[in-house]
Amino acid sequence: MILTVTPNLAMDITYRLDELKVGATNRVRRVDARAGGKGVNVARVLRSLGADALVTGLVGGATGRAAVDELDRAGIAHQLTPIAGETRKTVTCMSEVDGDATIINEPGPAVTEREWDDLCTRVRDLAVAADIVVLSGSLPPGAPVDGYVQLVELAAAQGIPALLDSSGGALAEGLAARPAIVKPNLTELTALTGESDPAVAARTVRQRFGCAVVASLGSAGLLADTDEGVFLARPPEVVRGNPIGAGDACVAAVASGIAEHSLWRQRIAHAVALSAAAVRCPLAGDVDLDYYRAHREHITVEVTP
Ligand SMILES: Nc1ncnc2c1ncn2[C@@H]1O[C@H](COP(=O)(O)OP(=O)(O)OP(=O)(O)O)[C@@H](O)[C@H]1O
Ligand SMILES: [Mg+2]
């Protein structure tokens, strides 16, 4: 089982409109509302693949109930921890004319020390049965800055590897606990190291924190610095579509590769194909499975020992 932890879970609202105009009244063509936050997206992708995924995180209020209902409707297994605050909403405005996405993210409700401790207990209890624990996204206001250190250590104490996909202080702090894998994008990798060359930056992070580094480089693909070598894989083509959530699909492929004990080379090939399949879908958490299956065995992976 793959346990995904989303401390700052959300209800994701996607508005599709012809063209987003700032300072004007915009009419929406279509609205989609679903549970989100990066760990939820990862679990949704895993469920499409038929993998066993379980979602945990913090939820509260009417929006939290709506998120739980949607998870139930989607058949995504969850064991969430209640909080007094109201779960946040995120709004994505997809402009059809240029394909641009404008994103408005609420910060999320403040959580208390007690609520954070409850989440830690939940993760400790669920991690026992997990092959890997995926820690995704931002930490909510009120959570300790070393929140991901605590969660990585809870998993490690039970011999379970953790994959960390976050940004800013939560990522920089969390690395101190030496997760097994980290998945920064290029911006996150540069912010971490001050180094713009992804290969140099990935090596720096691996040497400093002892973790496998899967650096996602947008449409340029993936660079992975691992104990099996350094791998570079490009997407089958540059896909025009919605790149939001492509990183989550990449994480889903890597996590399922860990659960299946596959080799890094194959994990990376599958991750590139699956994240391109995610770009083809307008909603984060969806993947074009036919596209994934058609391409996953035909990805060229460059290897540096
Ligand atoms: N236009 C594209 N065409 C094909 N593949 C893409 C494209 N954009 C991204 N990808 C694939 O998706 C992977 C993840 O993308 P990216 O680096 O943008 O992740 P991210 O910034 O973490 O995304 P998010 O956090 O929104 O999920 C890339 O490594 C690449 O393999
Ligand atoms: Mg990302």
Side-chain angles (χ1 to χ4, degrees):
M1 178 267 283
I2 297 164
L3 178 65
T4 76
V5 186
T6 316
N8 208 2
L9 203 133
M11 197 66 191
D12 284 345
I13 316 294
T14 303
Y15 288 147
R16 271 178 260 183
L17 9 79
D18 292 336
E19 185 179 8
L20 182 69
K21 297 195 188 90
V22 177
T25 300
N26 291 276
R27 301 208 185 277
V28 173
R29 272 185 180 279
R30 177 176 169 164
V31 186
D32 289 283
R34 49 158 63 170
K38 291 184 171 300
V40 173
N41 296 342
V42 172
R44 203 181 289 275
V45 173
L46 286 167
R47 192 185 173 280
S48 308
L49 297 178
D52 185 12
L54 177 63
V55 167
T56 192
L58 298 165
V59 281
T63 311
R65 281 193 296 281
V68 168
D69 288 348
E70 196 281 326
L71 287 173
D72 287 336
R73 282 198 302 278
I76 299 170
H78 58 83
Q79 286 197 40
L80 297 154
T81 294
I83 52 171
E86 176 85 21
T87 290
R88 69 190 176 127
K89 293 193 192 81
T90 68
V91 178
T92 302
C93 298
M94 300 284 298
S95 192
E96 305 280 344
V97 278
D98 44 19
D100 279 352
T102 304
I103 301 164
I104 300 163
N105 285 347
E106 294 180 17
V111 304
T112 64
E113 207 178 315
R114 171 75 194 273
E115 289 166 343
W116 178 259
D117 290 346
D118 287 347
L119 177 65
C120 290
T121 305
R122 174 82 75 180
V123 171
R124 191 195 59 205
D125 294 347
L126 296 175
V128 190
D131 297 299
I132 178 165
V133 177
V134 173
L135 306 168
S136 295
S138 59
L139 292 170
V145 268
D146 70 343
Y148 280 134
V149 172
Q150 298 179 18
L151 296 176
V152 171
E153 286 177 349
L154 282 173
Q158 302 181 73
I160 313 298
L163 185 162
L164 179 60
D165 177 13
S166 189
S167 57
L171 170 63
E173 288 275 338
L175 278 170
R178 304 172 84 84
I181 305 158
V182 62
K183 205 295 288 164
N185 64 21
L186 191 54
T187 312
E188 291 151 1
L189 192 62
T190 306
L192 267 179
T193 58
E195 172 61 61
S196 57
D197 178 330
V200 176
R203 192 186 336 125
T204 305
V205 173
R206 193 162 99 84
Q207 284 172 349
R208 211 181 280 166
F209 302 104
C211 41
V213 182
V214 179
S216 67
L217 314 175
S219 60
L222 280 177
L223 174 87
D225 196 322
T226 77
D227 54 10
E228 292 170 21
V230 179
F231 303 93
L232 178 68
R234 294 183 204 290
E237 65 194 312
V238 174
V239 177
R240 201 173 162 272
N242 169 31
I244 302 155
D248 303 328
C250 167
V251 167
V254 171
S256 79
I258 300 278
E260 289 163 6
H261 306 286
S262 66
L263 294 173
W264 269 109
R265 187 193 176 110
Q266 188 186 51
R267 284 174 204 161
I268 293 311
H270 286 186
V272 160
L274 191 61
S275 43
V279 179
R280 289 170 61 86
C281 296
L283 296 184
D286 285 346
V287 285
D288 180 339
L289 278 182
D290 290 338
Y291 186 90
Y292 170 56
R293 292 194 185 112
H295 287 92
R296 69 180 165 187
E297 308 309 334
H298 307 290
I299 303 288
T300 309
V301 181
E302 288 171 41
V303 188
T304 319

